Amino acid sequence: MRTPPLFHRFAPFLTLFVLSGCNSAYREAFARAKEAAVRGDFLTAARGYRDACRAAPDDEDACTRMPLFAVKATDQALTAARPACAAGDLDRCLPPLLDARDVQPEHPEVNTLLAQASELHTSRCEGQWKDDGQVGTAVAGFACLQSRGPQLPVATFQDRLAARASQLSSRFAALASKANTQGSAGAEA
């Protein structure tokens, strides 16, 4: 009688081992979400249920809880952000809005407040660095705008940043060309 190869004898155990690795991600995320929900940390709960749902898309429990906790997390974030946004305190306004946008990217009030924050930041930068025709001022104004670039994922703001970068790039190219043809004295802006 022939004995089965070693691999065939352990194949069920290998399958179980591989599947248990996937389930551990689910279990960890689900446990993290449940603990956070009990503490009232709805943002962590929403993210945990989202991770659990990604690890086990067929799990109805995690996948139905994620949107519920996303709404609760967004409500908490908006409650924290509104006063700071109204006062123009972008350092306290933006973090909760970005957290809310992470779990509910299409929420209208979150996106409206982010758009208003981008306009406020733009007006502050333009007020501080008025365009006087000098390259240094234009660079400083762009640096001011860019300082909040990652915190303002608003299409109009990102488009404004790209346009300013393009303008500066063209300006530097023109200066380099002028310096090349007229010498270094001709490169003054």
Side-chain angles (χ1 to χ4, degrees):
M1 185 157 138
R2 186 177 160 173
T3 60
L6 192 58
F7 174 76
H8 292 298
R9 289 188 356 209
F10 291 108
F13 296 112
L14 285 173
T15 303
L16 184 61
F17 178 72
V18 169
L19 290 176
S20 70
C22 294
N23 286 338
S24 69
Y26 164 79
R27 283 192 307 271
E28 289 172 14
F30 196 85
R32 186 175 67 244
K34 282 180 82 170
E35 289 172 13
V38 169
R39 289 192 319 266
D41 182 358
F42 299 134
L43 178 65
T44 302
R47 287 176 173 158
Y49 287 126
R50 178 182 60 197
D51 293 344
C53 185
R54 286 179 181 162
D58 295 335
D59 179 44
E60 208 173 295
D61 201 16
C63 295
T64 57
R65 288 183 185 193
M66 189 282 176
L68 300 173
F69 281 92
V71 168
K72 290 179 179 188
T74 300
D75 290 344
Q76 274 184 340
L78 285 169
T79 299
R82 283 182 192 118
C85 293
D89 184 354
L90 296 182
D91 290 331
R92 288 189 4 222
C93 165
L94 292 175
L97 292 177
L98 293 172
D99 286 338
R101 193 167 195 266
D102 179 45
V103 294
Q104 281 197 303
E106 301 301 322
H107 192 279
E109 185 179 0
V110 169
N111 289 320
T112 297
L113 288 173
L114 283 168
Q116 290 171 351
S118 74
E119 291 302 318
L120 176 63
H121 181 63
T122 299
S123 69
R124 286 179 179 170
C125 290
E126 289 174 351
Q128 183 179 1
W129 302 102
K130 294 187 192 288
D131 188 10
D132 60 3
Q134 298 295 315
V135 173
T137 305
V139 169
F142 176 70
C144 179
L145 283 176
Q146 198 175 32
S147 69
R148 294 237 188 235
Q151 294 178 314
L152 294 168
V154 177
T156 55
F157 183 77
Q158 295 299 321
D159 290 347
R160 183 177 296 124
L161 271 179
R164 293 279 173 91
S166 180
Q167 288 170 350
L168 280 175
S169 177
S170 297
R171 198 159 173 190
F172 282 124
L175 284 174
S177 176
K178 188 175 182 181
N180 198 21
T181 58
Q182 296 180 356
S184 61
E188 294 177 15

